[in-house]
Amino acid sequence: MEVQLVNGNSFNEGRVEIYYDGQWGTICDDNWDMADAQVVCRSLGFTEATEVKTSAAFGEGSGPIILDDISCVGTETSLIQCGSGGWMKHNCGHGEDAGVVCAKTMANNPAIFVSDYCGNFSEDLGLLYDNQQNCDINITVIISNSSESHGVTCLHSLILRTNSEASILLQGNKTSYTLLLEEECLPSVNRFFRYFYSRQIVITLDSVKCIHKLASAFGAPELQADCRKIFPYLLPLDPSFRRPLELYRYSLSSRDSSLQQLILQYLAWNCEGLSRTEVWLSLKPETIGDLLSHTDVMVESEWSLLKALDRWAQANGPGEIMKTLLEMVRFPMLTPEQLFKLQFNLTLYVRYNDVFQRNILEAFEFHTVPFKVLRQYKSQELRSDAFVPRCYSASTWSMYLTHDLITQNNGSSISQLFETPEHPSFIFHAQNISWSFTYYDIKQACQNYSFCSSDTFPMLHLALTGSKDNTIWYKNKALLVCQDSYVIDVFDFKNGTVVIPKANRVGFPCPTGHTGVMALVCPSYKLNA
């Protein structure tokens, strides 16, 4: 339920209005008490309500009276969960409109954000917009796909000239505009245009896409940037990946390259999980190409990636784009056994036999020819992406410490030993090396070690416990995994250590705060040795 506070002297107070059936309306103050006010304030992101207002203390509304006799316990998260007389049922006039005053402090709620650039601008300017009088610019809002007019909003050019983000509305001295908008974005229109006056706007997860769309259309870069800070909270909420992909398509249509890269980063980190969902089969080939060409694409193995491409091809049919996608597969990272099985396990093999044969030959060379010989005769090929391993999450190359395992350790260190091959080449298949992966929660747990010099914790440490081939180097990575299912941040081990930042600094927040940590061993040949 969309809620807003109108006609107050500050952003934390005002007449309570709710959006229902395509229009904003008021609430009657019958039985309106502090419990009801607490629900309103918390739903808007404030810590609490400080005062209840009745008898149209913030002025009378002009829309319908939508609810009456509201009865909240006070623990609800939205007014829609409270009892009432029913939608549009009341025995009141606007002289009984309900209002609230909320505490100015915002709750630690990742679903609510305030973009505030008010500076020296008074909230009185916001009230000037609310009054909708003496305007000289009119904006007609049309609902997309229906050509139905939703009404006219008016603005004051003199006020707009004080805000650089409103410059598009002042170009050419136009006095009228038409805004084509989806019906879902109608509740955001007034709060968006009011932002040009008061420089304050409350953005929720439900409204961020619409606010960003309006900011993009009217050239409000500061507001666009604030919306980009909020989008990361949306992505991990949908394990089906439908919402992230919908937002990625939106980022392409809005031409916001920063937003596009943000969402693509999340999809790349979680490419393995994405490839196992139904929506993977409906992806456009261009989107798959964007993913596979991303520097940090994370998959279980190259084999799992190739099998996912095969499933996609079965669902979408063959095409010339498939050759391009197959060339992005790193065939040398498939084991000799997997290379042999390709002809028996993939439907793509027969149609693209020439692509497979050429890449399989190169892959077998990689697995059988010593590095010194490869470097002598094929140094340029070794520098291409095909011969550089990705970081793989399969147990062959990783160690995972679950959230439960970390919390059970009660604040001290936890360490796991594991082995990996020295390198993906089959030449090293019998030469495993040992690693020690340790999670330090507090400084006392690692104070006896030289790498423990930072005062910031938790800390991860990954150490090679034996010798290694001097032609191989490791660019290992640490992953933060939310709810044991999706990646929310990736870090490079530097000198074997990673300091995990505070929760509000990670790339994509974990809604539950339950994160595990994974170490990925990523070996490569030293081409400059």
Side-chain angles (χ1 to χ4, degrees), residues 226-237:
D226 283 336
C227 288
R228 282 197 294 271
K229 296 175 185 176
I230 300 170
F231 278 109
Y233 288 85
L234 276 173
L235 303 178
L237 298 178

Side-chain angles (χ1 to χ4, degrees), residues 286-304:
E286 294 81 7
T287 301
I288 296 180
D290 290 342
L291 277 172
L292 298 191
S293 59
H294 198 280
T295 305
D296 290 335
V297 63
M298 299 284 175
V299 289
E300 183 178 273
S301 65
E302 208 68 28
W303 176 251
S304 70

Side-chain angles (χ1 to χ4, degrees), residues 252-300:
L252 295 174
S253 64
S254 68
R255 299 181 180 180
D256 188 330
S257 59
S258 297
L259 178 60
Q260 179 183 338
Q261 290 304 313
L262 173 76
I263 300 173
L264 187 61
Q265 177 73 85
Y266 179 79
L267 295 175
W269 283 348
N270 292 280
C271 187
E272 181 67 35
L274 171 61
S275 69
R276 297 177 181 178
T277 63
E278 290 184 9
V279 296
W280 169 262
L281 303 180
S282 63
L283 290 185
K284 291 184 177 181
E286 294 81 7
T287 301
I288 296 180
D290 290 342
L291 277 172
L292 298 191
S293 59
H294 198 280
T295 305
D296 290 335
V297 63
M298 299 284 175
V299 289
E300 183 178 273

Side-chain angles (χ1 to χ4, degrees), residues 341-354:
K341 287 181 178 180
L342 290 180
Q343 57 187 311
F344 308 109
N345 287 267
L346 297 183
T347 58
L348 286 170
Y349 187 89
V350 175
R351 183 173 183 86
Y352 302 101
N353 182 268
D354 57 331

